[in-house]
Amino acid sequence: MTDTEKFLVTARQVITDEAKALNTLAEGLDERFAEAVQLILQAKGRIIVSGIGKSGHIGHKIAATLASTGTPAYFVHPAEASHGDLGMLSEGDVVLAISNSGEAPELANLLAFTRRFAIPLIGLSSKMDSTLMKQADVHLQIPSLGEACGFGMVPSISTTLTLAMGDALAIALMKHRDFRPENFRDFHPGGKLGAQLSKVRDLMHAGDALPLVSGDTPMADALIEISQKGFGVAGVAAADGSLAGIITDGDLRRHMDGLLNKTAAEVMTTGPATIAPGAMAQEAVAVMNQRKITCLFVVDPDNGLRAEGLLHIHDCLRAGLG
């Protein structure tokens, strides 16, 4: 067997072992998981996650996932907790302490603090008879299935199970709170995810930047509006303020003969494609791609279909969409 084959055999075995362990975890979940969710939902403060070593690394991720999905949370290092960071805990908080063995000595002062001040404690461990689980108010137990290395020395299966338990908690809480994709925008304004969650109103041009004329505007003035605003189009507003049509480069070519003797209403195309300000920007990109156009006027169906903005494909591309 070549080295490449040996590497692949080992990798597949690790992944297979962890997948089997995850199935065992899922099948073993019981009412204690629901108790943990309910305890967190009842918290008036924040969720404090703590753990040492690999459990600490997983704890950081669990706290971040909770915080980004509508459950305020942060990570407190247990060693730092013993040197002043216990002051971060307060009445109304809930502590989620993580230790595979349940015997991490660094957690001792944190556990004692929760007991002294009646701060609810959720223990996450594989050992029900451990110090952590004996102290905890609610128990989240992961199955003790060894580690993928085969010697029980390298945290792998245990950390995967711990991470999965944290994800399960976060998403159960998220769904109970009806935390929707549009809510993600508030917590993920940057990066690719922030771009994907942008709404049309976040990217559109509005106010004085909006190229808009009335139906009776002479085309000479409409051309100036198109040129000054720089989008290559102009919207045409009806008497009631709603968007009646749009003037594009194609409309100008079709009405070239006697163009300057016409009004905007005589040149415009009626029934243009539009998008609502609350729509996701990705939806606007899909409409523009489907119709092979470069911009959309933004109209609010709850506000008389008035033109509130203009979204150009370049705005979406600059934001990371496309």
Side-chain angles (χ1 to χ4, degrees):
M1 184 181 293
T2 66
D3 285 345
T4 297
E5 291 171 332
K6 291 177 182 178
F7 297 152
L8 292 175
V9 167
T10 299
R12 290 180 179 128
Q13 187 60 57
V14 169
I15 295 170
T16 298
D17 289 345
E18 294 192 355
K20 290 179 179 177
L22 287 170
N23 285 330
T24 302
L25 174 65
E27 292 169 358
L29 288 178
D30 54 26
E31 66 278 357
R32 293 174 296 179
F33 180 85
E35 290 174 6
V37 173
Q38 289 292 348
L39 186 61
I40 293 172
L41 287 171
Q42 294 165 9
K44 296 180 180 179
R46 297 175 181 269
I47 311 308
I48 292 84
V49 184
S50 190
I52 194 73
K54 303 301 185 294
S55 293
H57 293 304
I58 298 299
H60 272 287
K61 194 274 181 186
I62 292 174
T65 301
L66 287 168
S68 69
T69 52
T71 300
Y74 58 89
F75 181 84
V76 172
H77 194 286
E80 297 296 339
S82 298
H83 294 274
D85 282 3
L86 283 173
M88 294 182 177
L89 280 67
S90 62
E91 184 179 356
D93 291 340
V94 171
V95 170
L96 172 61
I98 305 170
S99 171
N100 184 42
S101 68
E103 299 295 346
E106 294 85 357
L107 285 171
N109 289 331
L110 178 66
L111 300 185
F113 188 87
T114 66
R115 303 303 81 191
R116 179 181 177 187
F117 292 100
I119 296 174
L121 173 65
I122 301 172
L124 202 171
S125 174
S126 65
K127 309 296 184 182
M128 279 300 295
D129 60 349
S130 64
T131 300
L132 169 59
M133 297 301 248
K134 288 178 180 177
Q135 295 285 331
D137 301 297
V138 177
H139 309 99
L140 292 177
Q141 184 180 15
I142 59 173
S144 183
L145 300 171
E147 303 293 0
C149 64
F151 304 109
M153 302 295 293
V154 180
S156 46
I157 290 177
S158 61
T159 50
T160 296
L161 295 177
T162 302
L163 180 61
M165 185 72 85
D167 288 341
L169 271 178
I171 294 174
L173 289 160
M174 179 186 78
K175 291 192 173 183
H176 180 83
R177 291 188 166 115
D178 198 25
F179 194 87
R180 297 177 177 273
E182 51 266 30
N183 301 123
F184 274 90
R185 173 65 181 174
D186 297 330
F187 299 111
H188 302 79
K192 184 68 174 178
L193 183 56
Q196 292 173 343
L197 298 172
S198 297
K199 292 185 179 181
V200 169
R201 65 167 58 93
D202 299 324
L203 304 178
M204 72 181 189
H205 302 270
D208 293 339
L210 185 61
L212 194 64
V213 298
S214 61
D216 59 0
T217 300
M219 277 307 300
D221 294 334
L223 287 171
I224 293 175
E225 179 77 358
I226 293 172
S227 176
Q228 287 181 339
K229 298 303 169 62
F231 296 106
V233 299
V236 181
D240 63 359
S242 63
L243 184 68
I246 184 174
I247 300 173
T248 67
D249 181 64
D251 295 314
L252 298 179
R253 291 197 301 270
R254 284 189 291 273
H255 295 86
M256 187 63 69
D257 186 21
L259 177 66
L260 296 182
N261 296 321
K262 294 181 171 64
T263 64
E266 293 173 318
V267 175
M268 71 180 185
T269 294
T270 60
T274 61
I275 193 81
M280 304 301 287
Q282 278 191 319
E283 180 183 343
V285 172
V287 172
M288 285 187 272
N289 287 336
Q290 181 181 12
R291 292 178 174 257
K292 294 180 172 57
I293 56 178
T294 58
C295 62
L296 284 171
F297 272 86
V298 182
V299 301
D300 190 346
D302 297 325
N303 189 28
L305 295 176
R306 293 174 179 271
E308 297 189 358
L310 178 74
L311 182 67
H312 198 280
I313 188 65
H314 289 165
D315 303 315
C316 300
L317 294 175
R318 278 193 292 269
L321 298 170

